[in-house]
Amino acid sequence: MLAIIGGTGLSELEGFEQLEKLALKTPYARSKVRFQRVGSGDKEFVFLARHGAGHKIPPHEINYRANIAALADLGVTEIVAINAVGAIHGDLLPGSVAVPDQLIDYSYSRDVSFYDGKLKAVHHIDFSNPYSETIRQRILQATVAVNSSSKTRCEVLAGGTYACTQGPRLETAAEIRRLAQDGCDMVGMTGMPEASLARELGIEYASLALSVNRAAGLSEEAITLEDIHKVLESGMDFVSAVITEIVRQS
Ligand code: HPA
């Protein structure tokens, strides 16, 4: 079964039939999910709002282990994660999307593993390629289909390195210069440890990242939440159309 993890600007997925809501108990915390369906078809999927209903949980306090464990318990085998990002790559203008193929984790003090020596014995996963190529290609194909069939067109960066910072504050200009030197193309706060936890449980995982601002120091103007929310609102139409396409093809 497919799960969509919604991020900033996507706490609810509209345009789908809303089915059962569940609060699942895991050894880590409770996690809330909702089953949804495309139109009158039989394609069901699970939606999980990473920041909770009403966007109340900040990136560093999300219980990533509870969320991924809950999805695994439901029989989820594939995840499409939606992430808002600041753009470092010059082509990733606000309002465009990326499907990253690499990441660097700069976050800290998060519970990063199920294999913590308590519930599960120590184990080291291969994470050379952090995203599932199969899911990446499905996302990319869906963006092509949406771009060729609807009026909500969008530029797509078919790759790139995602930097995961701790948040909740945005970065300094010097931090972004360092990320750029490290080869990062976009920066967000929620991509990790979500991706590695999914890998630990054998779930295929990839991200559709929506650029909502130029990262700190890369534009003349200060980053304002007002501007970010404007881009989020318009960009989420494209993201929702891509999700619909992915679910239809699943
Ligand atoms: N930095 C980190 N996370 C973000 C940004 C940013 O500029 N924009 C959206 N999420």
Side-chain angles (χ1 to χ4, degrees):
M1 187 169 39
L2 171 73
I4 307 291
I5 300 185
T8 303
L10 199 69
S11 295
E12 270 182 49
L13 206 48
E14 287 161 8
F16 296 93
E17 193 183 340
Q18 311 280 333
L19 306 171
E20 197 183 2
K21 251 187 185 173
L22 288 178
L24 291 140
K25 249 194 194 167
T26 76
Y28 311 101
R30 249 175 221 274
S31 180
K32 291 187 185 158
V33 302
R34 167 147 229 167
F35 283 88
Q36 302 199 329
R37 184 154 56 197
V38 179
S40 56
D42 56 0
K43 297 273 169 63
E44 271 185 34
F45 64 97
V46 181
F47 179 75
L48 187 152
R50 191 188 279 124
H51 297 281
H55 200 279
K56 293 205 184 93
I57 313 170
H60 62 295
E61 285 185 3
I62 292 169
N63 196 318
Y64 295 94
R65 289 197 300 185
N67 290 347
I68 298 297
L71 293 178
D73 286 350
L74 286 173
V76 165
T77 50
E78 302 171 330
I79 295 175
V80 173
I82 311 299
N83 299 90
V85 294
I88 299 173
H89 192 295
D91 290 349
L92 195 58
L93 295 176
S96 60
V97 298
V99 183
D101 56 7
Q102 274 298 331
L103 64 79
I104 300 180
D105 189 8
Y106 300 88
S107 69
Y108 47 86
S109 303
R110 300 182 180 189
D111 288 321
V112 295
S113 181
F114 293 112
Y115 296 107
D116 59 358
K118 294 178 193 140
L119 289 179
K120 281 180 185 251
V122 176
H123 177 63
H124 304 280
I125 51 162
D126 173 24
F127 205 46
S128 315
N129 294 299
Y131 299 107
S132 156
E133 196 51 32
T134 313
I135 308 288
R136 287 191 64 254
Q137 292 307 325
R138 273 168 56 192
I139 299 172
L140 286 168
Q141 278 161 19
T143 63
V144 172
V146 173
N147 266 339
S148 58
S149 70
S150 78
K151 49 188 182 332
T152 40
R153 288 192 57 80
C154 187
E155 290 295 322
V156 180
L157 186 65
T161 298
Y162 175 105
C164 185
T165 53
Q166 175 70 355
R169 67 166 176 84
L170 295 169
E171 297 71 35
T172 64
E175 285 169 336
I176 293 298
R177 281 199 296 275
R178 180 178 72 143
L179 297 188
Q181 272 168 13
D182 284 357
C184 298
D185 300 297
M186 66 204 90
V187 55
M189 302 171 190
T190 53
M192 282 292 286
E194 204 173 80
S196 55
L197 289 168
R199 176 66 55 84
E200 283 189 348
L201 297 190
I203 303 175
E204 302 269 315
Y205 177 103
S207 158
L208 173 60
L210 172 66
S211 163
V212 292
N213 58 281
R214 299 301 319 274
L218 297 183
S219 89
E220 302 286 294
E221 276 128 60
I223 303 169
T224 69
L225 277 189
E226 204 188 337
D227 288 345
I228 287 181
H229 282 292
K230 271 189 210 151
V231 183
L232 271 171
E233 257 172 49
S234 53
M236 279 305 160
D237 287 348
F238 181 79
V239 169
S240 296
V242 171
I243 293 171
T244 306
E245 182 65 24
I246 292 169
V247 175
R248 280 215 185 102
Q249 300 299 331
S250 67

